[in-house]
Amino acid sequence: MIRKILVLSLWAPMLWAQGNVSSCYEFPRDAVEQIRQDVAYLASDELGGRKPGSDGDQLSREYIIGQFRNSGVEPYFKETYLQEFSVPNRVDRPNDGNYFRYKGDALPLDADYYPVIYSGNGSFKGETEYVSFGIESQKLDRDDLDDEDLKGAIAVMEISSPDGIHPHSKYKDWHDIAKRIRLLKTKGVQAVILVHTKGNANSPKSEFKSLESLGLPVIFVSDPKIAKKLRRSREVEGFVSLNAVEDVTYNVAGVINNGQRRTIIIGAHYDHLGFGGESSRYTGEEPMVHNGADDNASGVSGLLAMARFLAKTQDPTMRRFNYLLVAFSGEEMGLLGSKAFVERTATRQESWYYMFNMDMIGRMEDDRLAVNGMGTSPQWRDLVEPIECGLQFEFSESGVGPSDHTSFYYANIPALHFFTGTHPDYHKPSDDADKINVVGIYRVLSLMSSIIRNTPQGGDFVFSTTKVESTKAPKFSVTLGVMPDYLYSGNGMKIDGVSEGKPAAKAGLKAGDIVTQLGEVQVSDMQSYMQALAQFKKGDKATLLYQREGKVVKAQIQF
C-alpha cells in the first residue's frame, strides 16, 4: 500500500526537497467567467434544486459529463462516467396493510398508533408482557425482564428511562431504544409495543425515509389511555406492512491519466434539496425551489475548473500525478454517494494518494477559508502553511465532518475539506447564484493547485487518525433558531444568523453573540451545543448565557 497508517511521524526529509514552494500558484484567470457560467446553470430554476432521482438531478449529471468529455477527462468506469446507487425516498405504510387491534377493536393508524423505524414486516397475536423500561444490567442492579414470561410474548416497553432522558441520567447507556429492542428479541418476543406512560422522552418519529428494521414488528401506541392499559396483560393482534421506496441516482467520475503511480482525488457533491424537505430552513408555506448555489454548485464549478485545467496543462509539476475527479450525489442524505463510491472501488485504491473535497466554497468573506482535516496526515502542515495566497486560514484537525471527505477518511485516505462558511441563505431558497463570490472560488482553486505543486512525487503520504468526539450528532427535537459560525474556533458557539420568530430571536440574541451555556451544559463548541439542545423538548424553558462585545449576558429561552 502507498498509504500507511501513522504510528510515529517519521518520513525522509529528502522527499520534501521539491516541495515547500511558498508562492501562490496562479490558476488560469480565464477560469473565472466559466466558473460563473457553471454556477448559474447548476443553480438555475431549470434544475429544480437537483434532488436525487429528479429531472434536475439528471440534467446536472448530463452537464457535468459534458464538461468532463469536452475537457478530455476520460470515464473512470468501463466506458462510462456513471456509478449507479439508490437513495431512500420514503417509507409507505398503506392503511389496508396495517392494523392493530386491542380488545377486538382496530385502532386508527397514525391517530392512536403507528409503526416505527425499527420495525420489520409481519403479524403478531397474543398476550402482552409489560417490561417497564426493558433494562437488564448487573452494573445498575436492575432487571426488568423475566425470560420465561417473554418467550412468544408481545413486549410492552416504555420509551423513557427510570430517571428520564437527560445528559446526566444514571441510565444514559440505555436511552437507545434500538438497543433495548434487540435485547427483547434475544428473549424470544414476537413483537414490541412502545408506550410513554413514565418519565420524559420524545415520541418516536412517525414518518421516515428509510428503515432500520430489527427483524420484528415494532409499533408505538400514542393514545395515552390505551398505553396505560397495556401495562397489564392484554390480548392484542396486529400486522405491520412497510414498503421502502428508493430513487436511483449516480456518482459521476472521470480520470486524467498521466501515466503516474499516484492519484489525487478531487471531489464535490452536486445534489441539493429540491423543493425543501426535512433539511430545509425555509419556513414559508408554499414549496420553493432550493437552488443550492453555494451548496454545492460552488464546489462543482470548482471541480469542473480543476478538470479543465488539469486535463490540458503542460506544467510538469501538475503532471506528476493522475487525477480522479468525482461529483457525488446523495450527500445531503448522509454522504450516501461518497460512501458507495469508496466501498465499491476498494480494489482500485492502491494508487490513491490523498483527497480534496470542495463543499460550499462560494461565500468567501474577509479572505477567510476553513481547511478541515489537517490532522489526517502529519504532512499537511508542511504543504499548506508555507503557501502565500493571501488567505486567512481556519484549520481543524478532524477527518470527520458533514461532507464527503469523511468517507475517504474512514478508508484511511488523507483528506482536506475546503469551506468558506455558512450564511443566512444556507438550505434556503435564497441560496442563489447572484450571491456567489466567483473570485473566492478561483482563490480556493489557486490554493489547491499550490498544494499539489508542493506535494513531493516520491515517498509515501502518511495517513493519521484524528480525535473524533462523536461520529453521530446527538438527537434533539428543539431548535434555538440560529445559524452557527462554523469558521469560529474560539470557546463557545458563535451565532452567524438568527431566524425570526424562533426562541433565540424572541430572547434578543443576534449575529455575533457567542453562546457559552445552555441549561446546565457548558457550551465550548458545536458538539457541546448539540448535546445541550438534546436535553430539551418543546415547551421547556432554559437559561442561556452568551457573550456580546466582551460582556456576559443572561437570557431566558422557551422552546
Side-chain angles (χ1 to χ4, degrees):
M1 294 289 288
I2 286 175
R3 302 179 311 279
K4 294 182 179 178
I5 298 177
L6 177 67
V7 178
L8 295 173
S9 298
L10 299 175
W11 62 89
M14 60 178 290
L15 298 177
W16 298 89
Q18 65 191 69
N20 293 318
V21 181
S22 61
S23 62
C24 187
Y25 191 92
E26 186 171 332
F27 200 78
R29 292 184 179 273
D30 59 5
V32 174
E33 183 55 37
Q34 185 60 55
I35 291 171
R36 193 186 314 276
Q37 293 177 26
D38 291 337
V39 173
Y41 176 72
L42 292 168
S44 65
D45 287 348
E46 179 185 351
L47 270 62
R50 309 186 305 276
K51 184 178 180 180
S54 67
D55 291 342
D57 177 47
Q58 180 177 343
L59 288 172
S60 55
R61 199 161 51 243
E62 291 173 351
Y63 182 80
I64 294 167
I65 291 173
Q67 297 300 313
F68 276 180
R69 186 177 288 119
N70 292 340
S71 301
V73 176
E74 298 294 328
Y76 182 62
F77 306 104
K78 292 181 179 179
E79 300 180 355
T80 181
Y81 295 94
L82 299 177
Q83 180 188 54
E84 179 181 321
F85 66 99
S86 297
V87 295
N89 180 310
R90 66 187 186 278
V91 174
D92 288 338
R93 49 180 192 221
N95 280 313
D96 57 358
N98 289 273
Y99 65 84
F100 176 65
R101 296 191 181 103
Y102 168 73
K103 288 189 173 180
D105 295 326
L107 274 64
L109 180 65
D110 291 326
D112 290 347
Y113 91 98
Y114 52 83
V116 303
I117 193 170
Y118 306 116
S119 184
N121 291 336
S123 62
F124 57 93
K125 182 177 182 179
E127 290 195 0
T128 61
E129 176 70 20
Y130 183 62
V131 297
S132 189
F133 300 100
I135 297 172
E136 184 180 66
S137 171
Q138 291 183 352
K139 179 181 177 181
L140 296 171
D141 192 26
R142 184 181 181 101
D143 188 354
D144 294 336
L145 309 180
D146 187 320
D147 290 11
E148 290 300 320
D149 290 342
L150 283 173
K151 289 180 181 179
I154 299 163
V156 176
M157 183 180 74
E158 300 283 351
I159 61 173
S160 187
S161 82
D163 61 356
I165 305 294
H166 59 89
H168 308 295
S169 170
K170 176 182 177 181
Y171 301 92
K172 188 175 180 180
D173 290 343
W174 289 89
H175 287 179
D176 186 352
I177 292 176
K179 173 182 177 178
R180 290 182 270 164
I181 295 173
R182 290 189 191 96
L183 178 59
L184 289 170
K185 185 179 178 182
T186 66
K187 305 294 183 181
V189 303
Q190 58 170 302
V192 177
I193 299 174
L194 303 174
V195 296
H196 185 196
T197 70
K198 297 179 180 179
N200 71 300
N202 296 315
S203 298
K205 288 185 177 180
S206 59
E207 295 183 2
F208 30 88
K209 289 186 175 181
S210 58
L211 286 169
E212 298 176 20
S213 174
L214 297 177
L216 74 171
V218 184
I219 66 170
F220 175 65
V221 173
S222 52
D223 184 305
K225 293 181 179 179
I226 295 176
K228 286 182 179 179
K229 291 178 180 179
L230 288 173
R231 293 192 301 193
R232 289 188 174 185
S233 180
R234 306 287 185 178
E235 280 284 338
V236 297
E237 64 176 314
F239 192 90
V240 174
S241 176
L242 300 174
N243 178 37
V245 179
E246 296 183 329
D247 289 321
V248 173
T249 188
Y250 301 82
N251 292 322
V252 184
V255 64
I256 299 170
N257 187 353
N258 289 321
Q260 304 293 343
R261 291 179 55 212
R262 294 170 176 81
T263 299
I264 292 173
I265 306 104
I266 302 174
H269 77 88
Y270 70 91
D271 63 302
H272 197 53
L273 305 182
F275 283 78
E278 291 181 0
S279 299
S280 172
R281 297 176 57 245
Y282 170 61
T283 57
E285 294 183 1
E286 293 295 323
M288 291 187 67
V289 62
H290 290 52
N291 285 319
D294 188 29
D295 186 15
N296 185 35
S298 66
V300 177
S301 71
L303 176 70
L304 296 178
M306 289 296 288
R308 297 181 192 107
F309 166 58
L310 293 171
K312 302 294 185 183
T313 184
Q314 296 302 310
D315 186 331
T317 64
M318 294 297 173
R319 295 181 64 84
R320 293 175 298 128
F321 304 98
N322 306 318
Y323 297 95
L324 170 56
L325 303 119
V326 193
F328 304 106
S329 186
E331 189 270 355
E332 299 287 2
M333 298 179 171
L335 318 185
L336 299 184
S338 57
K339 287 178 183 176
F341 185 83
V342 170
E343 289 172 359
R344 298 180 189 181
T345 55
T347 60
R348 307 177 69 174
Q349 295 173 15
E350 182 72 20
S351 68
W352 290 6
Y353 212 33
Y354 58 69
M355 190 264 184
F356 286 157
N357 176 37
M358 292 175 283
D359 192 356
M360 297 179 63
I361 58 170
R363 293 292 192 98
M364 184 179 289
E365 293 184 359
D366 302 322
D367 305 321
R368 292 199 305 165
L369 177 68
V371 183
N372 304 316
M374 291 290 285
T376 63
S377 174
Q379 289 147 282
W380 284 130
R381 293 276 176 180
D382 286 340
L383 290 182
V384 180
E385 289 183 344
I387 297 172
E388 298 174 358
C389 279
L391 297 170
Q392 302 297 316
F393 294 127
E394 295 284 349
F395 292 133
S396 73
E397 297 292 307
S398 179
V400 174
S403 193
D404 292 309
H405 60 288
T406 301
S407 300
F408 289 82
Y409 169 79
Y410 282 130
N412 296 339
I413 311 293
L416 293 182
H417 167 215
F418 302 96
F419 174 58
T420 56
T422 52
H423 42 79
D425 302 308
Y426 171 71
H427 278 198
K428 287 184 176 180
S430 52
D431 182 11
D432 285 326
D434 60 354
K435 298 176 181 177
I436 295 300
N437 181 349
V438 178
V439 174
I441 296 175
Y442 170 87
R443 296 180 69 188
V444 174
L445 302 181
S446 296
L447 170 65
M448 290 170 55
S449 300
S450 301
I451 297 172
I452 295 172
R453 183 187 182 204
N454 274 9
T455 301
Q457 188 173 21
D460 296 329
F461 206 89
V462 180
F463 172 79
S464 58
T465 58
T466 63
K467 181 180 179 182
V468 181
E469 301 232 351
S470 174
T471 58
K472 292 181 69 176
K475 293 183 179 180
F476 45 88
S477 59
V478 297
T479 178
L480 201 57
V482 301
M483 172 59 63
D485 181 351
Y486 289 97
L487 295 185
Y488 178 69
S489 58
N491 184 65
M493 188 279 291
K494 188 175 183 181
I495 297 174
D496 202 31
V498 178
S499 299
E500 294 183 10
K502 298 295 184 180
K506 292 179 180 179
L509 276 75
K510 62 183 183 180
D513 292 341
I514 301 172
V515 177
T516 57
Q517 184 170 336
L518 180 56
E520 298 180 359
V521 179
Q522 298 289 325
V523 176
S524 59
D525 53 19
M526 275 301 301
Q527 187 69 23
S528 55
Y529 167 64
M530 292 188 290
Q531 289 172 344
L533 280 179
Q535 67 179 321
F536 298 107
K537 62 181 184 297
K538 190 174 182 180
D540 285 351
K541 296 180 179 180
T543 299
L544 181 145
L545 299 181
Y546 64 94
Q547 294 178 3
R548 177 180 291 174
E549 298 177 352
K551 297 181 180 180
V552 177
V553 185
K554 181 186 291 187
Q556 295 299 316
I557 296 288
Q558 180 165 9
F559 294 104

